[in-house]
Amino acid sequence: MRQKFVAGNWKMNLTLPEAQALTSEIVQMLRDEQHGPEAAQVVICPSYPLLPAVGRLLGEGGKVALGAQNCHQKESGAYTGEVSAKLLQSIGCQYVILGHSERRQYFHEDNELLSQKLKAALAAGLRPIFCVGESLETREADETFDFIAKQLKDGLFHLSNEEFDKVLIAYEPIWAIGTGKTASTAQAQEVHAFIREQVASAYDAEAANNTAILYGGSCNAQNARELFSQPDVDGGLIGGASLKSRDFVTIVTSF
Ligand code: 13P
């Protein structure tokens, strides 16, 4: 059985006191609710400055892991304002989101740059959550599969088998992010199955079978169970609903 995952992407939200309160609530609720081998691995991805404080509340060896929302592609150096994967690892991060559509769109991150960021993250011992997903225009032009195949090929499939083992993929259709317009379960399943086939041809059947593919885009406490019931949907990357403790914990337990 593949590991299930639910990752909360807090994006550029929450002050320190708000983040501390939300983390404490989530930890407390999960203590009461989440048990057994079926339980999803939970990851929380706050903004950079919140990472140490949130990490302390999660505790070492706790059920919830810490992740970042980005990293720089270089190990260190004169890159004012940037944060290295090595630093993130040293403050307790185990995961890093890479290739989010907001970073691709607003910060012009392309597949070439992302392929370097992936290498840097893996070299530092972080597990990347690599995001792919099409715009509404691409979907309406019936080019979704070609577009995603290219994102995977150019951004991800240069990794060795050993490196790829550590990667999670998130399918986040851009038209579903923050819009309240979720992909239907059939739409999500169709693209997830396609991604898994692409992994099988780039690597092998075992890699395809072991890779966790998460859905993101207006996933919430009401629709998570149905989405997660699909055979190729291994959990979610949650934006808005990860900022509400009860909703997030409901999603975490929606398997
Ligand atoms: P929403 O859940 O707010 O649609 O955001 C999804 C997302 O972008 C997670 O990375």
Side-chain angles (χ1 to χ4, degrees):
M1 267 288 279
R2 281 188 291 277
Q3 170 82 62
K4 308 282 188 193
F5 287 87
V6 175
N9 175 9
W10 288 358
K11 307 193 180 184
M12 197 177 74
N13 292 299
L14 305 181
T15 61
L16 177 61
E18 288 166 349
Q20 287 170 317
L22 178 59
T23 308
S24 302
E25 285 167 23
I26 291 171
V27 168
Q28 182 56 47
M29 288 179 190
L30 285 178
R31 196 171 291 149
D32 300 338
E33 292 217 23
Q34 218 204 5
H35 303 286
E38 298 283 285
Q41 172 65 57
V42 183
V43 184
I44 290 183
C45 304
S47 331
Y48 288 142
L50 299 174
L51 287 166
V54 171
R56 273 192 295 279
L57 290 168
L58 297 179
E60 252 183 64
K63 283 185 192 166
V64 182
L66 192 63
Q69 298 172 16
N70 181 29
C71 70
H72 194 262
Q73 64 275 22
K74 290 284 192 333
E75 195 179 301
S76 62
Y79 301 99
T80 302
E82 289 294 329
V83 176
S84 73
K86 198 171 161 189
L87 166 63
L88 294 172
Q89 193 277 338
S90 77
I91 60 169
C93 287
Q94 296 179 60
Y95 296 83
V96 60
I97 299 171
L98 289 175
H100 194 283
S101 59
E102 288 151 15
R103 297 225 46 100
R104 292 177 188 261
Q105 183 182 348
Y106 304 132
F107 304 97
H108 312 295
E109 296 193 0
D110 58 15
N111 290 323
E112 163 58 28
L113 175 68
L114 291 168
S115 67
Q116 295 172 30
K117 290 192 175 205
L118 276 164
K119 283 275 187 197
L122 288 161
L126 299 178
R127 294 194 67 179
I129 303 173
F130 185 74
C131 304
V132 296
E134 80 287 1
S135 65
L136 189 57
E137 202 184 0
T138 301
R139 176 160 283 268
E140 285 175 346
D142 223 0
E143 288 166 0
T144 297
F145 294 112
D146 287 347
F147 184 80
I148 287 173
K150 188 165 165 52
Q151 285 186 319
L152 293 169
K153 182 167 171 284
D154 296 351
L156 191 56
F157 290 163
H158 58 96
L159 298 177
S160 68
N161 280 64
E162 208 180 26
E163 290 171 326
F164 185 77
D165 259 6
K166 303 272 182 291
V167 174
L168 289 75
I169 299 174
Y171 169 55
E172 297 209 320
I174 297 168
W175 48 271
I177 297 176
T179 57
K181 206 174 166 215
T182 324
S184 68
T185 47
Q187 284 171 326
Q189 168 56 27
E190 188 183 32
V191 178
H192 281 231
F194 174 76
I195 292 172
R196 207 175 294 289
E197 278 166 30
Q198 298 294 301
V199 174
S201 15
Y203 296 93
D204 53 35
E206 196 190 341
N209 193 41
N210 291 339
T211 302
I213 307 176
L214 316 184
Y215 170 79
S218 298
C219 182
N220 59 37
Q222 285 72 46
N223 60 28
R225 187 169 292 279
E226 207 191 326
L227 284 160
F228 297 172
S229 70
Q230 299 302 300
D232 289 296
V233 179
D234 305 310
L237 179 54
I238 317 299
S242 73
L243 299 169
K244 297 181 198 130
S245 52
R246 176 40 64 201
D247 287 8
F248 186 61
V249 170
T250 300
I251 295 170
V252 167
T253 52
S254 291
F255 290 94

